Amino acid sequence: MTNEMKKIQIFDTTLRDGEQSPGASIDPERKIIIARQLGKLGIDVIEPGFPVSSPGEFAAVQQISRELQHVEIAGFARAVKGDIDAAVKATQDAARRRLHLFISSSDIHLNHQLRKSRDEVVQIAREMVAYGKQFVDEIEFSAMDSTRSGRDFVIQLVEAVIAEGATVINLPDTLGYAMPEEMSELFRYVRSRARGGERVRYSAHCHNDLGLAVANSLAAIHGGATQIEVTVNGIGERAGNCSLEELVMAIETRKDAMQASTNIRIGEIYETSRLVSRAMHFPIAFNKPIVGRNAFQHESGIHQDGLLKNRSTYEIMDPEAMGISRSMIILGKHSGRHAIKHRLAEYGVHVAEAQMEDVYNKFKETADAQKIVSDNELIRIAGELTQTQPDPYVLTDLYVHAGTQRSRTATVTIRDEHGMEQTFAAVGDGPLEAVIHAIQQAIPVAAEFEDLELHSLSTGEDAHGEAVVSIIHEKQRFRGTSIHSDIVLAAAEAYVAACNQAVMTSGSRSVQASVQ
């Protein structure tokens, strides 16, 4: 294997293929916000949409082309003159642009969808690449469904478009059908046998129907691809596309095996993931690699003990390098004393050895009942058993008035660390907004409410929900959690818990909870 590091271009199609996910449609304004973040992330090529599909789509592609002058913009088009005209016009103000043309290559598509012969498809591809070449220098040609096509026909099609000026050849696994070894062999075969193949670059666009999109994309790199087409969080039609964050971190983590690198600024990965998730209203699975809630969290006592001694025992990546705050240890029924003591110490709560066994036993009792114990619950347990109030602020009472014909109002009572209680009221468009506004009056450090996740932990009339609230304070993200049968109360407690974290980790307060 050569020691020369190969640079892999990252082509992002979140705003085109990703938006084709059912229910993932976003308005042009949000598209532009996401595009800006993709530029900040270090994406080489952005495919902002399908310009011919609607006036709003055209306008979004046009504005992104004008604004993101440091990123190459791809105008997506079928092998149809009207599509090409729209793509060319929408991207005309881009500093660097390419035309991305596609047509099917598999007999399944030709016979049942296009209803055209192979010769007709070759002729259309040839004519449309030649037509597009009048307007742009860079043309990417995609032979759709390449992995279910006859290889000799793929080569015939590729040779025809190369002769007309195509500069990038994309061999998509459109249905996520290929196995990794088949993917790498396809690229080797086409690269070595197509006339003019050495003059062009090769790209892979893999779908995830069999869960192999990332593996197939890595295999394509081994087969000679120098561009990989991805989406943030792996969104896309059906089971989605190759996940940007998974591919990039696989390359970054295993540079020794891949002999490759990218231009991605990995510190922006988490922020990009969250932005896309919120904009498209697509939740991220807890066990999603890299950006999932559990990706860097550990409940097992054995794992927690190893991590506290040396992170590399159970982590192959540094979450903080990707912009993920380090909350690596989830406290649950499998957690040990070491992890509990360490977590309390992070908040400045130091429990005397004489009381640690009582805290541990109460913790275990709580964990058995609800599996996970949030940080604020742990601190509360320590406070009850040591007769102190480790939390700077405690929500002692909440009243919410909501209805269809009147404003939502909330009244909260907060007790501070000195035992003083104060009551505040506020209104909002919704009950939660009213609650947050009231709490913000009570807590001086109350920060920007960034995000709320609600998760059902059980079923039936007595079901409990878990609220996870993220806040931003002094450019740092803090997260609080709470579990309750009343989801508004759970969200309120989670917000207070996040604010307490901001106070307790800022160094402005240190609590000593001990019994002499």
Side-chain angles (χ1 to χ4, degrees):
M1 180 183 290
T2 177
N3 290 324
E4 185 179 351
M5 196 69 72
K6 180 166 58 174
K7 182 67 73 174
I8 304 300
Q9 273 205 322
I10 300 299
F11 178 116
D12 186 89
T13 184
T14 301
L15 300 175
R16 198 276 300 171
D17 205 338
E19 198 195 10
Q20 290 173 202
S21 302
S25 180
I26 53 177
D27 57 56
E29 290 74 20
R30 282 202 179 102
K31 270 201 168 192
I32 293 161
I33 291 170
I34 292 173
R36 289 172 185 151
Q37 180 60 30
L38 292 174
K40 192 175 178 182
L41 178 64
I43 295 296
D44 299 291
V45 185
I46 294 176
E47 190 168 61
F50 194 0
V52 79
S53 63
S54 74
E57 190 84 342
F58 181 95
V61 174
Q62 188 175 57
Q63 183 168 341
I64 291 167
S65 298
R66 289 170 176 169
E67 185 172 328
L68 272 70
Q69 293 288 295
H70 62 293
V71 181
E72 186 174 355
I73 305 296
F76 187 69
R78 294 168 296 184
V80 175
K81 281 190 176 180
D83 283 28
I84 294 171
D85 290 340
V88 167
K89 187 174 182 182
T91 60
Q92 66 183 356
D93 295 326
R96 291 182 295 125
R97 64 169 171 166
R98 75 172 63 168
L99 181 62
H100 183 190
L101 298 178
F102 75 96
I103 196 168
S104 291
S105 60
S106 69
D107 287 337
I108 298 171
H109 282 202
L110 269 58
N111 295 336
H112 301 291
Q113 184 180 20
L114 294 184
R115 300 186 185 278
K116 295 186 182 297
S117 68
R118 286 182 169 186
D119 287 342
E120 288 176 309
V121 167
V122 170
Q123 187 60 29
I124 292 170
R126 185 186 293 277
E127 290 176 358
M128 292 302 98
V129 170
Y131 179 71
K133 196 69 175 179
Q134 301 175 78
F135 310 108
V136 298
D137 295 325
E138 287 283 326
I139 293 187
E140 176 174 337
F141 176 80
S142 291
M144 190 163 70
D145 207 17
S146 288
T147 55
R148 297 197 301 165
S149 304
R151 287 188 180 180
D152 291 338
F153 179 60
V154 171
I155 286 178
Q156 182 184 354
L157 194 54
V158 166
E159 287 180 342
V161 297
I162 290 175
E164 297 299 336
T167 55
V168 180
I169 299 299
N170 182 31
L171 303 177
D173 186 25
T174 306
L175 274 297
Y177 178 75
M179 292 288 118
E181 60 272 17
E182 295 169 341
M183 200 69 183
S184 57
E185 180 55 30
L186 173 64
F187 276 82
R188 290 191 189 98
Y189 189 87
V190 174
R191 287 177 59 237
S192 63
R193 302 210 177 191
R195 284 174 296 180
E198 73 285 349
R199 302 199 306 267
V200 298
R201 291 169 285 145
Y202 290 85
S203 180
H205 179 111
C206 298
H207 280 260
N208 204 40
D209 297 69
L210 295 176
L212 294 170
V214 174
N216 282 336
S217 297
L218 295 172
I221 293 173
H222 282 306
T226 56
Q227 175 181 281
I228 303 297
E229 305 187 6
V230 300
T231 59
V232 176
N233 298 333
I235 62 170
E237 291 188 284
R238 304 181 313 280
N241 291 46
C242 176
S243 164
L244 180 152
E245 56 280 355
E246 293 176 33
L247 176 90
V248 167
M249 291 313 299
I251 293 173
E252 177 72 19
T253 305
R254 295 305 312 278
K255 282 181 178 178
D256 56 335
M258 295 303 301
Q259 288 296 298
S261 64
T262 72
N263 292 320
I264 296 298
R265 302 178 186 96
I266 65 172
E268 297 293 333
I269 283 178
Y270 188 60
E271 186 59 40
T272 307
S273 169
R274 290 174 61 84
L275 175 63
V276 170
S277 175
R278 291 196 299 266
M280 293 188 169
H281 305 292
F282 260 48
I284 300 170
F286 282 6
N287 64 334
K288 171 79 166 67
I290 315 302
V291 293
R293 178 177 169 184
N294 292 348
F296 295 97
Q297 295 182 341
H298 309 265
E299 186 191 337
S300 163
I302 296 172
H303 286 215
Q304 291 176 353
D305 183 64
L307 282 163
L308 292 171
K309 292 171 180 174
N310 189 307
R311 291 177 181 178
S312 64
T313 52
Y314 290 101
E315 286 186 350
I316 59 172
M317 294 169 279
D318 179 3
E320 290 172 309
M322 291 175 276
I324 304 171
S325 59
R326 178 162 287 281
S327 52
M328 66 181 184
I329 292 178
I330 289 293
L331 298 178
K333 64 181 181 180
H334 300 112
S335 299
R337 293 172 179 79
H338 189 192
I340 294 169
K341 192 171 184 178
H342 179 269
R343 179 56 59 86
L344 286 169
E346 286 185 322
Y347 291 106
V349 179
H350 301 281
V351 178
E353 289 298 326
Q355 289 294 103
M356 189 61 212
E357 192 65 22
D358 290 337
V359 171
Y360 179 72
N361 290 335
K362 181 63 176 177
F363 168 86
K364 284 290 189 178
E365 181 183 320
T366 306
D368 277 337
Q370 61 190 41
K371 184 172 172 58
I372 292 174
V373 179
S374 64
D375 288 353
N376 53 301
E377 285 179 304
L378 176 62
I379 293 170
R380 192 173 304 143
I381 289 170
E384 289 174 356
L385 294 176
T386 58
Q387 299 182 341
T388 63
Q389 181 184 310
D391 275 328
Y393 300 97
V394 175
L395 177 65
T396 61
D397 188 51
L398 169 67
Y399 175 79
V400 178
H401 188 199
T404 58
Q405 302 298 323
R406 56 186 64 84
S407 297
R408 284 74 174 169
T409 62
T411 303
V412 302
T413 301
I414 301 287
R415 184 175 66 238
D416 66 20
E417 59 190 305
H418 304 295
M420 181 181 295
E421 290 193 353
Q422 289 183 287
T423 300
F424 299 88
V427 298
D429 291 335
L432 181 59
E433 184 180 27
V435 169
I436 298 305
H437 287 170
I439 294 172
Q440 286 173 336
Q441 297 176 59
I443 302 179
V445 79
E448 175 191 348
F449 187 99
E450 184 196 36
D451 195 26
L452 166 67
E453 299 174 36
L454 290 173
H455 310 287
S456 175
L457 298 181
S458 55
T459 58
E461 293 180 0
D462 62 343
H464 281 61
E466 179 191 33
V468 183
V469 169
S470 298
I471 66 170
I472 301 294
H473 176 62
E474 294 182 350
K475 298 182 179 180
Q476 281 189 284
R477 179 178 287 113
F478 298 91
R479 188 169 70 178
T481 61
S482 182
I483 298 169
H484 204 278
S485 56
D486 184 328
I487 58 173
V488 175
L489 178 56
E493 289 182 341
Y495 180 69
V496 172
C499 292
N500 281 334
Q501 286 187 31
V503 173
M504 297 172 81
T505 59
S506 66
S508 60
R509 178 179 182 274
S510 178
V511 179
Q512 300 294 321
S514 60
V515 175
Q516 302 301 321

